[in-house]
Amino acid sequence: MNQGWKASRREFVMLACAASFSPASSRLNAAESQEEPPAGSRSANADEALRQLLAGNHRFTTGEPLTPRRSPQEFRSLAHGQFPEAVIVSCADSRVAPEILFDVGVGDIFVVRVAGNVIDGAGASVKGSIEYAVAELNVPLIVVLGHSGCGAVKAAIQHLNDKDSLPGSINGLVDLIRPAVAQSKGLAGDPLENAIRQNVAIGVERLRRLEPILAPRVKEGKVKVVGGVYDLSTGGVTLNRK
Ligand SMILES: [Zn+2]
């Protein structure tokens, strides 16, 4: 991500670390209570955060990752507070590793992973995690990230009309993806790819309208929600059109 921003953020958390010997330090208190870091020490807005994520993904796909912020000194300095610049809502699939595919480090992104990157109907654990990042950590950008060949979406296509075909809670999970399959039916192109894109689009729309935390911030332009799909073959992320 933006190295200048990261440097200033690092300076902030390291200052907070150093100040831990002084109980009166307001900087430490700010870091511990997850308050906004001083002006200039966080990414300015969602567009810049997105630009940095896509730049990191480009480095990943071209085999030139920087693999930033993984040293003991760097993760120790973050022990007093976190200031991620984006929420990534992605599938639990083992091949979709957000920190790696966006070439970011510890503390850079707030990741919520659930099979099929489902949001609507997924309950308080998923929505509450995202809301926490926005309300408490002031994260300006949310990326709903689907991926090619998603098994959860495949299952929803295969079992669209077969309610009892999947064991345990898998059926309930796949149920949440069925609307995406139904809405993308008949579109030109590959049915699985279309359903994956539509599943992401449904998640994006759900978050943009999610009251009371996200919707007003989206309306005021303080938070941006975008969707994208990660290609398992190329490593590239392509954004949804809207
Ligand atoms: Zn998946």
Side-chain angles (χ1 to χ4, degrees), residues 8-217:
S8 58
R9 186 182 72 168
R10 239 184 347 264
E11 283 163 16
F12 166 69
V13 290
M14 289 179 80
L15 275 169
C17 236
S20 64
F21 299 105
S22 164
S25 165
S26 59
R27 286 199 158 203
L28 173 64
N29 292 341
E32 283 182 334
S33 64
Q34 310 282 10
E35 286 175 12
E36 183 74 8
S41 60
R42 139 188 299 284
S43 184
N45 57 49
D47 289 335
E48 176 59 15
L50 182 59
R51 190 194 67 73
Q52 291 167 14
L53 284 177
L54 294 177
N57 180 242
H58 180 71
R59 292 194 300 273
F60 172 69
T61 59
T62 53
E64 298 171 334
L66 296 174
T67 55
R69 286 169 293 290
R70 295 181 193 183
S71 72
Q73 186 189 19
E74 287 169 319
F75 61 71
R76 272 186 214 124
S77 71
L78 285 164
H80 295 279
Q82 60 170 323
F83 310 101
E85 65 177 8
V87 177
I88 311 294
V89 186
S90 69
C91 185
D93 191 296
S94 63
R95 300 162 293 180
V96 184
E99 279 89 352
I100 296 174
L101 69 92
F102 286 121
D103 190 30
V104 294
V106 172
D108 288 339
I109 53 177
F110 190 99
V111 181
V112 179
R113 294 183 70 170
V114 56
N117 41 275
V118 289
I119 295 167
D120 200 15
S125 54
V126 170
K127 293 192 196 81
S129 299
I130 299 165
E131 288 177 327
Y132 171 80
V134 171
E136 297 297 321
L137 306 178
N138 294 312
V139 176
L141 173 68
I142 302 168
V143 180
V144 180
L145 187 66
H147 69 96
S148 64
C150 183
V153 180
K154 269 185 201 170
I157 291 173
Q158 286 165 4
H159 301 282
L160 183 61
N161 301 310
D162 189 0
K163 293 272 181 190
D164 301 320
S165 58
L166 295 164
S169 296
I170 302 172
N171 208 57
L173 173 67
V174 168
D175 259 347
L176 302 178
I177 305 174
R178 287 192 169 104
V181 177
Q183 290 172 23
S184 59
K185 212 170 183 179
L187 291 178
D190 181 75
L192 178 58
E193 283 178 23
N194 291 337
I196 288 166
R197 285 269 170 208
Q198 187 59 29
N199 186 43
V200 167
I202 288 173
V204 168
E205 269 313 298
R206 183 71 188 96
L207 291 180
R208 285 175 180 164
R209 295 167 191 268
L210 186 61
E211 297 284 356
I213 294 172
L214 298 190
R217 286 171 171 79

